[in-house]
Amino acid sequence: MDKCQRINHFAGAWSIGSKSNLWRNCQRQRRKQGKDFDICPTTYILPDDYKRWMNDREMSNYQHMYIFKPTSASCGKGIKIIGQKD
């Protein structure tokens, strides 16, 4: 890059800018460093974690609420609240 050029993104920022990548990186650091990196709430990346999510929902007797955010959406597009089983 030249001195007069500017960029609006940092190289590698996708690893923390995407919620799924941020979760994966936090989990990786938590495994390496321990409880100091217990800074993120439990996250399920669907469809990979679907069975784990359903098991956790059943174990809590469907009492917890979840926020569903689609991949690569912004400005609140596609966000849904999943609550108790009807």
Side-chain angles (χ1 to χ4, degrees):
M1 287 183 53
D2 292 329
K3 290 181 188 179
C4 63
Q5 287 181 310
R6 294 184 181 179
I7 59 171
N8 63 352
H9 294 290
F10 293 105
W14 186 250
S15 63
I16 60 171
S18 165
K19 287 177 181 62
S20 58
N21 287 336
L22 177 62
W23 169 253
R24 287 183 186 108
N25 289 327
C26 282
Q27 284 299 95
R28 185 179 309 121
Q29 287 302 316
R30 189 170 154 195
R31 283 191 296 271
K32 289 180 181 179
Q33 305 295 332
K35 293 280 185 183
D36 291 338
F37 279 85
D38 193 9
I39 58 173
C40 293
T42 303
T43 301
Y44 306 94
I45 301 172
L46 301 178
D48 298 339
D49 294 335
Y50 182 76
K51 286 184 180 180
R52 186 170 64 92
W53 177 60
M54 286 306 295
N55 287 338
D56 289 351
R57 279 190 83 196
E58 289 173 9
M59 293 297 288
S60 71
N61 201 22
Y62 299 94
Q63 296 298 313
H64 297 144
M65 294 181 72
Y66 299 91
I67 300 171
F68 174 79
K69 184 193 177 295
T71 304
S72 300
S74 63
C75 301
K77 296 174 190 159
I79 293 177
K80 297 178 185 174
I81 304 295
I82 300 172
Q84 297 178 353
K85 185 176 180 180
D86 296 328

